[in-house]
DNA sequence: GTCTATAGAAAGATAGAC
DNA sequence: GTCTATCTTTCTATAGAC
């Protein structure tokens, strides 16, 4: 993040990150050896310890940068006015990020248990920060009478889980395009929190 | 499954299954050693190979029996008439199973990649069988004009992902009871597929 | 059916040459 | 900054005693 750009070290570091991300997502953190990661980046095993203190530090680096990039990307983009359009924007944004970073998304939900307590807490905190963006939209819509969630936090968790599910089954070239899937999910999300229709 | 009941072998086998389930869910398949599993069941490592051919066979046994029990439990219970009540029943059933078998549910989504192609295909097939039960309810409701899913398969995946998400954040003794969470999720599911309100 | 003991391979991490 | 070589530990799986 704060290393000199373009240096040999930085290039190797990024290649190691990329190799580790791919391998961890494919086989699981515990199943991947430091030797495999090094080989994936075209270096020897010992070199890894020039860039990362140990295996967990490498995993933490991947998860932290993923969450920080995610939050920065959302905060950095223009937001439409009004809770409904803003929610639509969030759904599209989240699905787009999941599409573009499937390995990191998978890791950030599946391999948290391999972090020590301190690192675990930091990632969880970042995740909460991100989820709070969605909660704020829902609360705003609730106050405006556009949404009617019986519980904003639960609606937040439900929407995120629902959207994340797409990555587990969607395959390029299948029955539906990404765009169509996005439209259909947006429809379900909108109805799930809509003010009309609540019994 | 077809072993003599109550025999010493069967008891040890069940203890090994229970220990493996707990350890795999807690630390991940690759991170758990055969020695740990044996110790968790109070036997030595060599004994494991009397009950399972190898580590993958043990995982497959856990996943297969979980999925088969799940389907049998749903098929074996009385079903209310009408798509809306049937959907409500499914939501409650699914949340209840997830509550009672969190480790097996977690494993069946996270450790499939550790199965060989043949075993993987068998578990995937069982999962599809289960999901088809939900799809049938949605299709029935669609035909009756009670539901309006733009796509039954996507609604199936969305509902299951949403419900499964509860296990990742719900903690006993928290802000909401299981019953209240079930009510709120049922409300969101119902609205998400409701015939009214579709634009 | 379970034990002890171990073979053989592979893991994480480090030291020192270049 | 990267390499080779290696220490130490741990792994899966098996052989043979009881």
């Amino acid at each position: 993040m704060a290393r000199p750009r373009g240096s040999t070290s930085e290039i190797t570091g990024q290649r190691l990150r990329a190799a580790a991300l791919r391998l961890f997502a494919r086989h699981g953190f515990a199943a991947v050896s430091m030797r495999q990661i090094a080989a994936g980046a075209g270096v020897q095993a010992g070199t890894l310890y020039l860039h990362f203190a140990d295996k967990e530090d490498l995993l933490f680096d991947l998860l932290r940068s993923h969450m920080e990039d995610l939050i920065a990307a959302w905060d950095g983009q223009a937001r439409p006015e009004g809770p409904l359009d803003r929610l639509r924007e969030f759904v599209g944004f989240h699905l787009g990020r999941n599409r573009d970073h499937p390995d990191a998304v998978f890791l950030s939900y599946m391999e948290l248990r391999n972090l020590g307590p301190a690192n675990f807490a930091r990632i969880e905190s970042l995740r909460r920060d991100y989820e709070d963006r969605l909660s704020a939209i829902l609360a705003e819509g609730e106050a405006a009478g556009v949404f009617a969630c019986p519980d904003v936090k639960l609606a937040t968790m439900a929407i995120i889980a629902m959207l994340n599910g797409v990555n587990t089954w969607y395959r390029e070239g299948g029955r539906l395009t990404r765009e169509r899937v996005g439209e259909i999910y947006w429809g379900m999300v909108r109805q799930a929190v809509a003010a009309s229709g609540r019994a």
Side-chain angles (χ1 to χ4, degrees), chain A:
Chain A
M1 280 292 180
R3 291 159 206 253
R5 290 146 193 254
S7 73
T8 311
S9 174
E10 178 61 7
I11 290 170
T12 300
Q14 287 302 348
R15 290 173 64 91
L16 285 169
R17 280 180 185 82
L21 180 60
R22 184 175 148 279
L23 288 166
F24 286 163
R26 191 107 71 198
H27 305 108
F29 176 77
V32 174
S33 72
M34 296 297 256
R35 282 172 179 81
Q36 284 176 278
I37 297 167
V43 298
Q44 295 302 313
T47 302
L48 255 167
Y49 295 88
L50 272 288
H51 297 265
F52 305 96
D54 54 24
K55 202 180 175 188
E56 181 191 330
D57 182 51
L58 172 49
L59 176 63
F60 176 66
D61 184 281
L62 293 174
L63 298 182
R64 183 179 48 82
S65 59
H66 167 66
M67 291 307 301
E68 286 175 353
D69 291 352
L70 175 67
I71 291 171
W74 172 253
D75 288 349
Q77 86 174 8
R79 259 171 271 177
E81 280 302 314
L84 194 65
D85 284 338
R86 218 170 263 194
L87 182 59
R88 189 211 305 272
E89 190 77 7
F90 183 91
V91 170
F93 170 81
H94 192 83
L95 288 176
R97 293 290 301 193
N98 279 10
R99 174 196 62 215
D100 294 338
H101 306 280
D103 288 346
V105 170
F106 185 78
L107 274 199
S108 73
Y109 280 91
M110 293 314 306
E111 302 292 1
L112 279 180
R113 60 186 169 194
N114 292 297
L115 296 178
N119 285 342
F120 179 87
R122 280 202 57 189
I123 301 298
E124 277 294 292
S125 170
L126 287 169
R127 191 214 298 292
R128 251 193 316 276
D129 286 349
Y130 178 66
E131 290 167 357
D132 285 347
R133 266 78 172 165
L134 173 54
S135 293
I137 296 172
L138 295 176
E140 187 191 355
E142 179 94 24
V146 182
F147 304 147
C149 319
D151 190 282
V152 164
K153 188 61 188 166
L154 260 65
T156 299
M157 302 311 285
I159 290 170
I160 297 222
M162 189 167 133
L163 298 178
N164 285 345
V166 174
N167 269 20
T168 67
W169 57 263
Y170 186 85
R171 294 297 172 262
E172 222 65 48
R175 185 167 58 89
L176 299 168
T177 65
R178 283 274 181 189
E179 289 68 31
R180 185 72 189 120
V181 170
E183 289 168 9
I184 293 172
Y185 269 72
W186 161 237
M188 290 191 285
V189 167
R190 184 167 50 79
Q191 288 204 179
V193 300
S196 59
R198 170 71 50 190

